[in-house]
């Protein structure tokens, strides 16, 4: 029996209650509500702390070097190398880095839910553990898929179609965002909802609603509809990747993660770190053969495993 109804509407499961089973105590609900608003921003900006960000010193009109403002960190390197071979390697590294980053972001929630499950040992807390593990896989899959797809489309645009100067980032970001983050249903939809809303808030900051109110954009941009959400996802990812590649207005902490996903994957080894190898392997296999064998799609594999894990078996681990 499926413990969680992943087909319920976004009004029933939003970014504040996505971690909660419906029968969790009110005190736990209030605690998660307080934490949910800050979790995504905190983890996205802190998940990679050792990445170096190159700073370019701008040249003034009189050819004298001047120091850039201290709050601006510039990233002059393109998201994709110029050569096809290095570009394809970059695509894989970006895909790998995306899966690893998505996993790191969700690990704190898993640890928190495990602590609650050990302390209270109730079915609702056990369901939360299973739920956040599913979220981790979906987050890693969606982010890894998007980074790889974005870098690949940019490579085609720049090398084959000669589309550059920001148009390539907008095209690749929109296509990748609509396909990889456009699902608005189920667990993956709730993960996407958190990510897309966060990115949109950073890039647009309420501008889309103002444009809709004034009639400059159609009401189809309303994210309460499936089509509107898919367009919303594509627009958000297109804009944030354009700013990453061609502007320097994004916050330095956020740019650290973006550089890790899109710039650091331009070079380095192709190997996957051993502690992330199982997750990368599972997601890759599901992506490769899930289209032809629907039962092997990630959501179906996780559902199959989830239905065969009982609460009684979980309790036996702690006896």
């Amino acid at each position: 029996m499926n413990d969680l109804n992943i087909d319920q509407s976004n009004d029933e499961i939003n970014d504040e209650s996505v971690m909660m089973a419906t029968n969790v105590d009110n005190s736990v609900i209030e605690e998660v509500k307080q934490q949910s608003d800050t979790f995504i921003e905190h983890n996205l900006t802190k998940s990679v702390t050792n990445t170096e960000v190159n700073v370019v010193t701008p040249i003034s009109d009189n050819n004298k070097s001047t120091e850039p403002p201290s709050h601006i960190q510039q990233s002059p390197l393109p998201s994709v190398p110029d050569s096809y071979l290095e570009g394809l390697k970059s695509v894989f590294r970006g895909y790998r880095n995306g899966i690893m980053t998505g996993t790191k972001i969700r690990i704190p929630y898993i640890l928190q839910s495990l602590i609650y499950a050990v302390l209270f040992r109730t079915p609702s807390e056990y369901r939360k553990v299973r739920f956040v593990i599913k979220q981790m896989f979906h987050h890693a899959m969606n982010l890894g898929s998007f980074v790889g797809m974005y870098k690949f489309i940019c490579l085609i645009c720049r090398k084959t179609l000669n589309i550059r100067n920001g148009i390539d980032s907008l095209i690749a970001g929109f296509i990748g965002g609509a396909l990889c983050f456009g699902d608005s249903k189920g667990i993956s939809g709730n993960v996407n909802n958190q990510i897309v809303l966060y990115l949109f808030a950073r890039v647009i900051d309420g501008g889309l609603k103002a444009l809709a109110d004034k009639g400059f954009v159609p009401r189809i941009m309303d994210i309460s509809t499936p089509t509107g959400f898919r367009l919303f996802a594509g627009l958000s990812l297109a804009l944030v990747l354009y700013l990453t590649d061609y502007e320097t207005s994004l916050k330095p902490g956020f740019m650290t993660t973006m550089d890790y996903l899109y710039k650091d994957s331009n070079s380095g080894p192709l190997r996957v770190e051993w502690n992330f190898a199982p997750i990368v392997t599972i997601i890759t296999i599901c992506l490769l053969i899930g289209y032809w064998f629907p039962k092997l799609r990630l959501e179906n594999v996780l559902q199959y495993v989830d239905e065969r894990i009982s609460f009684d078996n979980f309790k036996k681990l702690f006896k």
Side-chain angles (χ1 to χ4, degrees), residues 5-25:
N5 182 7
I6 63 174
D7 290 325
Q8 57 187 304
S9 66
N10 283 329
D11 290 332
E12 295 174 326
I13 300 180
N14 53 37
D15 59 348
E16 292 181 345
S17 61
V18 66
M19 300 301 303
M20 306 297 299
T22 57
N23 60 345
V24 182
D25 295 339

Side-chain angles (χ1 to χ4, degrees), residues 184-195:
S184 59
K185 302 296 183 181
I187 297 177
S188 181
N190 282 282
V191 171
N192 294 342
N193 187 62
Q194 290 179 333
I195 296 173

Side-chain angles (χ1 to χ4, degrees), residues 16-153:
E16 292 181 345
S17 61
V18 66
M19 300 301 303
M20 306 297 299
T22 57
N23 60 345
V24 182
D25 295 339
N26 290 333
S27 61
V28 180
I29 294 175
E30 291 300 322
E31 180 179 353
V32 173
K33 283 183 177 181
Q34 294 173 3
Q35 295 176 356
S36 61
D37 289 338
T38 59
F39 173 75
I40 295 297
E41 178 176 359
H42 173 76
N43 283 280
L44 279 174
T45 58
K46 298 299 182 182
S47 61
V48 183
T49 59
N50 294 325
T51 304
E52 293 184 2
V53 179
N54 294 326
V55 178
V56 173
T57 303
I59 304 301
S60 60
D61 292 337
N62 58 3
N63 294 326
K64 293 182 179 180
S65 297
T66 58
E67 290 295 330
S70 58
H71 67 282
I72 295 180
Q73 286 183 310
Q74 300 190 6
S75 300
L77 297 177
S79 291
V80 181
D82 288 332
S83 70
Y84 277 114
L85 179 58
E86 290 302 317
L88 292 176
K89 292 181 180 179
S90 173
V91 169
F92 176 79
R93 295 190 195 99
Y95 166 77
R96 175 202 62 190
N97 290 0
I99 292 179
M100 292 169 59
T101 297
T103 302
K104 292 176 183 177
I105 290 173
R106 294 292 168 175
I107 283 177
Y109 264 160
I110 295 177
L111 296 178
Q112 181 185 31
S113 62
L114 283 172
I115 292 173
Y116 278 113
V118 172
L119 291 177
F120 300 107
R121 300 189 182 185
T122 61
S124 62
E125 298 296 339
Y126 173 61
R127 284 195 293 269
K128 285 201 301 180
V129 175
R130 296 158 60 182
F131 188 71
V132 295
I133 291 175
K134 291 180 183 179
Q135 277 196 316
M136 179 191 69
F137 275 95
H138 281 286
H139 193 154
M141 179 184 69
N142 294 353
L143 183 56
S145 300
F146 173 79
V147 176
M149 183 178 297
Y150 170 81
K151 293 170 77 71
F152 180 76
I153 295 175

Side-chain angles (χ1 to χ4, degrees), residues 92-93 95-101 103 136-137 140-141 144 270-288 298:
F92 176 79
R93 295 190 195 99
Y95 166 77
R96 175 202 62 190
N97 290 0
I99 292 179
M100 292 169 59
T101 297
T103 302
M136 179 191 69
F137 275 95
M141 179 184 69
L270 294 175
R271 68 177 183 275
V272 179
E273 295 181 20
W274 67 269
N275 49 332
F276 292 98
I279 297 176
V280 174
T281 301
I282 292 172
I283 292 175
T284 302
I285 292 175
C286 291
L287 285 173
L288 290 176
L298 180 63

